[in-house]
Amino acid sequence: MPRDYGRITVQPAPDYGPGYGPSKNDLDDFIDFLEDLVEIIEEIAEWLEDWDGPGGFTYTPGTSLDDTIAANDASQVITAFSGNDIIETGAGTDFVFAGVGNDTIILGSGTNYVRGGLDSDTFVFTEGASGTTFIRDLIPGQDVIDVSALGVTGFEDMVVRSYGYGTILYVDDLTIHVEMPLGALSESDFIFA
């Protein structure tokens, strides 16, 4: 049953039975899991401190399995923890923390704050994607931004600007903020049409 904490509603994780979740027999894995969880909670708190948008958030936790999580059009906080997850954002304001695993994060409209986490992650923009997406932890040579559905064939099809420590990419009605200096991004960090 969902628990309501005012601005945030917590949805229970699916119950897959005993033996799933972080390994309780391996102390190192469990400590890593808890450290990741603390980092996620701190980031959520930091973002929500300045939140000015409509309504509250729904919190949707994943598991240690390969989860498929689809957001609705309300505002959501999604944590997938571990596993090779597929996460699809909705039209609201979504905060995605994919965690450990080779994750695919599908981005359409709305405002999205995204952390792929460890391992190789793919940030996929759907055809007609719009709004603003903030990619917080792109790892060059490991993670990729897939803009092929937008018809983008290379950097020449985007307006690319540097800002502070990051880079802003403009494609039609879509703005992508990548927390990485412009000079650090290369064509190998993208999947083009």
Side-chain angles (χ1 to χ4, degrees):
M1 169 174 247
R3 287 181 276 174
D4 192 349
Y5 294 97
R7 291 179 64 118
I8 298 177
T9 303
V10 178
Q11 297 287 341
D15 183 7
Y16 292 106
Y20 292 100
S23 170
K24 291 180 176 61
N25 297 326
D26 184 342
L27 184 58
D28 290 338
D29 282 352
F30 190 62
I31 289 171
D32 288 345
F33 168 77
L34 290 176
E35 287 173 351
D36 287 346
L37 183 60
V38 166
E39 182 180 320
I40 288 167
I41 291 169
E42 286 173 349
E43 251 189 83
I44 291 170
E46 179 185 314
W47 281 341
L48 293 181
E49 228 172 66
D50 297 328
W51 175 248
D52 218 3
F57 286 85
T58 299
Y59 173 58
T60 305
T63 67
S64 63
L65 301 175
D66 295 343
D67 297 314
T68 298
I69 301 171
N72 55 34
D73 288 341
S75 298
Q76 289 189 260
V77 176
I78 300 168
T79 55
F81 298 113
S82 62
N84 299 324
D85 305 304
I86 299 171
I87 302 166
E88 186 171 354
T89 62
T93 298
D94 297 317
F95 297 89
V96 176
F97 301 89
V100 178
N102 300 320
D103 304 308
T104 300
I105 302 163
I106 302 168
L107 303 145
S109 61
T111 302
N112 305 296
Y113 299 87
V114 182
R115 288 183 69 89
L118 300 176
D119 299 317
S120 299
D121 302 306
T122 304
F123 304 93
V124 180
F125 288 90
T126 61
E127 183 178 356
S130 62
T132 304
T133 294
F134 298 85
I135 299 175
R136 301 280 307 248
D137 65 344
L138 185 79
I139 301 169
Q142 183 171 316
D143 299 332
V144 292
I145 299 171
D146 184 344
V147 290
S148 60
L150 300 171
V152 175
T153 61
F155 280 116
E156 64 278 359
D157 291 339
M158 300 183 282
V159 176
V160 181
R161 298 282 183 259
S162 179
Y163 78 98
Y165 180 72
T167 303
I168 301 177
L169 310 167
Y170 299 96
V171 182
D172 298 324
D173 294 330
L174 173 66
T175 303
I176 307 169
H177 293 255
V178 181
E179 200 169 276
M180 176 181 298
L182 178 58
L185 280 176
S186 72
E187 291 206 351
S188 65
D189 297 316
F190 292 85
I191 296 173
F192 295 119

